[in-house]
Amino acid sequence: MNENLFASFIAPTILGLPAAVLIILFPPLLIPTSKYLINNRLITTQQWLIKLTSKQMMTMHNTKGRTWSLMLVSLIIFIATTNLLGLLPHSFTPTTQLSMNLAMAIPLWTGAVIMGFRSKIKNALAHFLPQGTPTPLIPMLVIIETISLLIQPMALAVRLTANITAGHLLMHLIGSTTLAMSTINLPSTLIIFTILILLTILEIAVALIQAYVFTLLVSLYLHDNT
């Protein structure tokens, strides 16, 4: 088996042109919409989930923070649908690319921090120097707090990339093992296939949880700066 484990993470191309943009734009097309006064069950369930998620994330925010509700709901829907579509065979998952996750994390984090410095500059600067800090430790703590602030978007992106990539690699390894064992030992193949099914269910949960965690952390950063 000489197949490259990371081949599925290479950005696909069509006639030499990158197809990542088309793949990124595809998930929103799957969100159903209704033109009728009375919605069907699918639309009703979708709206209920959106309201539940939005209410849970926006409860702790003030009026200024709640202006981000549409952006945060759109973010969690986009990441969740992208992660779920990436579980399909022979598909590409954009959230396994660190560059894309950074492109989502950095602007959102920057917007939240700028909002904090514009509206609550004293509280924003107070985070760099905890109250009661001994004078000799002030320069070191300021440097540490600055680094911890600047590393937040990187942590957001790396967390999402690592979790999605690890799950895909594990599924690929177990799937390859199942295929190789199918001609050697049938009972062992059935056991490994059962593990693969359970892992797939787990990865579906991870795809949804990681979308929620990413959005929730952005919401917490926003709450700290509004």
Side-chain angles (χ1 to χ4, degrees), residues 82-120:
T82 303
N83 291 345
L84 291 175
L85 287 175
L87 295 175
L88 297 175
H90 304 289
S91 61
F92 172 72
T93 312
T95 47
T96 58
Q97 305 296 311
L98 183 60
S99 57
M100 175 182 166
N101 295 335
L102 284 173
M104 291 190 295
I106 292 178
L108 293 171
W109 171 84
T110 304
V113 171
I114 291 175
M115 182 179 292
F117 277 101
R118 290 182 60 184
S119 60
K120 300 191 307 181

Side-chain angles (χ1 to χ4, degrees), residues 23-24 26-32 74-88 92-95 207-208 211:
I23 296 173
I24 293 172
F26 180 67
L29 300 178
L30 300 179
I31 305 300
S74 301
L75 179 66
I76 190 172
I77 292 175
F78 171 74
I79 297 177
T81 52
T82 303
N83 291 345
L84 291 175
L85 287 175
L87 295 175
L88 297 175
F92 172 72
T93 312
T95 47
L208 298 175

Side-chain angles (χ1 to χ4, degrees), residues 13-138:
T13 58
I14 300 177
L15 299 176
L17 300 176
V21 177
L22 296 177
I23 296 173
I24 293 172
L25 294 177
F26 180 67
L29 300 178
L30 300 179
I31 305 300
T33 57
S34 176
K35 299 180 181 178
Y36 303 100
L37 182 62
I38 300 178
N39 297 327
N40 56 27
R41 294 178 182 178
L42 178 61
I43 300 294
T44 303
T45 304
Q46 173 187 299
Q47 292 179 349
W48 175 77
L49 289 173
I50 291 175
K51 289 180 181 179
L52 180 65
T53 305
S54 178
K55 181 179 179 181
Q56 187 171 1
M57 288 191 299
M58 293 292 111
T59 302
M60 58 183 174
H61 290 282
N62 54 21
T63 305
K64 184 177 293 185
R66 290 177 182 176
T67 58
W68 284 47
S69 58
L70 181 60
M71 182 183 298
L72 294 179
V73 170
S74 301
L75 179 66
I76 190 172
I77 292 175
F78 171 74
I79 297 177
T81 52
T82 303
N83 291 345
L84 291 175
L85 287 175
L87 295 175
L88 297 175
H90 304 289
S91 61
F92 172 72
T93 312
T95 47
T96 58
Q97 305 296 311
L98 183 60
S99 57
M100 175 182 166
N101 295 335
L102 284 173
M104 291 190 295
I106 292 178
L108 293 171
W109 171 84
T110 304
V113 171
I114 291 175
M115 182 179 292
F117 277 101
R118 290 182 60 184
S119 60
K120 300 191 307 181
I121 186 169
K122 291 184 178 179
N123 293 335
L125 293 176
H127 288 296
F128 294 95
L129 189 62
Q131 188 176 6
T133 303
T135 304
L137 297 179
I138 289 178

